[in-house]
Amino acid sequence: MQQFIDAAPGIRLWTEQRGAADAAPLLLIMGAQASGVGWPDPLVDALAAHHRVIRYDHRDTGRSTWSFEERPYRIADLAEDVIAVLDGLGIDRAHIVGMSLGGMLAQMLLADHPDRLLSATLISTMALSTTPYTRPDGSTVPTDALPGIAPEVLELWARPVEDHGPAAEVERRIEHWRVLAGDQLPFDEGYFRAFEQQVIAHTGHHRAGTAHGRADSDGMLRTDQLAKNEVPALVVSAPAEPVFPPPHPQHLAQCVRGAELVEIPGMGHALPPAVHAPLATAILARTGAVTT
């Protein structure tokens, strides 16, 4: 079932629900410039066998309002959009799963709206905390000394995004996924081509958005609140991650009080078919352990 939610004056967000209406809600939060269909259908269906699964388009993605040029917003506003989606769908509390920027938004929700969450799963993201990382040997590493984004990713992101038509845009996105997916699993070019064609069909155009990279990111740190967290939380470690490489997930699990850590073998900063089943299993193990 598809539905539009009014999140703020002039802002409408596209949402889709799958699964039994009376099942525990599970809301999926995608990363920067990624629409809700960035969550692959097979993964969504696996989760929907146990949950009322909601995925939605951020502002300036998919079928939601593209408004940044006329009305710039903050990253914090994207976090509040999650609450607007829950309110619009009449959901008091939900499990949330966030990837990349979505994992940061999920941390902000853990800190600011813990009463609205049943659990949180954080994937391919970094800690919104200044707490140093403690290595297994007991030594510590300041957050600004943790590994940075891989050079090949930075080089790709530094290139200007030019419109050479839909076919060229699909090829650009495939190259992007090839780098983001890491080097531990075979890269399925055909899968990602079909995936991006689906994203473009859903959006209705092939233009690449840049709003989230330009949005005000001030005030995102939640060091103290995360250290006092009481919401059941899971951190997913992706060993081939080129954006937030290990030990970022280990650090995140230390910063979020009570968080568990699970590794998905071969996973990078992407969701190819090989990770769908193990990722669904990990998420469902976390949500299934929560009593409502």
Side-chain angles (χ1 to χ4, degrees):
M1 179 175 68
Q2 301 181 30
Q3 181 176 338
F4 283 91
I5 301 296
D6 293 317
I11 303 295
R12 304 190 76 201
L13 303 179
W14 174 88
T15 72
E16 179 200 67
Q17 301 179 67
R18 297 189 188 186
D22 59 351
L26 188 156
L27 188 145
L28 302 171
I29 310 171
M30 242 303 145
Q33 302 305 156
S35 73
V37 297
W39 295 102
D41 287 335
L43 175 60
V44 175
D45 289 338
L47 298 173
H50 303 270
H51 289 283
R52 173 188 175 188
V53 176
I54 304 104
R55 59 180 178 176
Y56 73 102
D57 291 343
H58 292 296
R59 306 181 190 198
D60 288 274
T61 75
R63 298 178 183 176
S64 291
T65 304
W66 290 55
S67 63
F68 189 83
E69 302 305 329
E70 295 77 26
R71 285 172 290 176
Y73 47 80
R74 306 169 301 150
I75 294 297
D77 294 324
L78 297 179
E80 292 301 319
D81 284 349
V82 177
I83 300 302
V85 169
L86 294 179
D87 288 344
L89 297 177
I91 297 171
D92 292 329
R93 300 178 71 200
H95 301 281
I96 61 172
V97 179
M99 180 169 183
S100 195
L101 175 64
M104 298 179 199
L105 302 181
Q107 291 175 67
M108 297 172 76
L109 296 169
L110 279 172
D112 301 344
H113 299 284
D115 58 313
R116 303 300 301 272
L117 307 185
L118 294 169
S119 75
T121 298
L122 313 173
I123 307 168
S124 294
T125 192
M126 64 178 289
L128 300 182
S129 173
T130 58
T131 301
Y133 168 59
T134 301
R135 296 189 182 101
D137 65 6
S139 61
T140 59
V141 181
T143 56
D144 59 4
L146 290 172
I149 300 171
E152 57 269 27
V153 176
L154 291 175
E155 190 277 329
L156 199 61
W157 288 354
R159 299 179 191 175
V161 178
E162 301 173 340
D163 187 351
H164 297 290
E169 176 61 17
V170 168
E171 296 307 313
R172 185 191 71 83
R173 296 185 190 186
I174 290 172
E175 183 181 7
H176 190 206
W177 284 122
R178 191 185 304 276
V179 174
L180 291 182
D183 58 4
Q184 294 189 19
L185 295 173
F187 184 74
D188 187 341
E189 181 176 316
Y191 168 81
F192 282 101
R193 176 172 283 104
F195 173 81
E196 283 300 341
Q197 288 169 341
Q198 179 186 8
V199 170
I200 289 171
H202 167 77
T203 304
H205 62 78
H206 66 277
R207 296 190 306 275
T210 61
H212 298 168
R214 293 180 286 141
D216 184 354
S217 61
D218 287 344
M220 289 178 63
L221 285 175
R222 296 292 190 276
T223 303
D224 293 340
Q225 300 95 319
L226 294 176
K228 299 174 183 176
N229 172 64
E230 295 185 355
V231 176
L234 175 70
V235 174
V236 173
S237 175
E241 171 68 61
V243 180
F244 303 112
H248 276 284
Q250 289 76 15
H251 175 235
L252 177 56
Q254 292 177 0
C255 293
V256 179
R257 179 176 177 269
E260 298 180 4
L261 182 69
V262 65
E263 180 175 299
I264 305 298
M267 185 173 170
H269 201 83
L271 297 174
V275 309
H276 295 172
L279 185 56
T281 297
I283 294 169
L284 292 172
R286 174 65 281 175
T287 63
V290 176
T291 57
T292 59

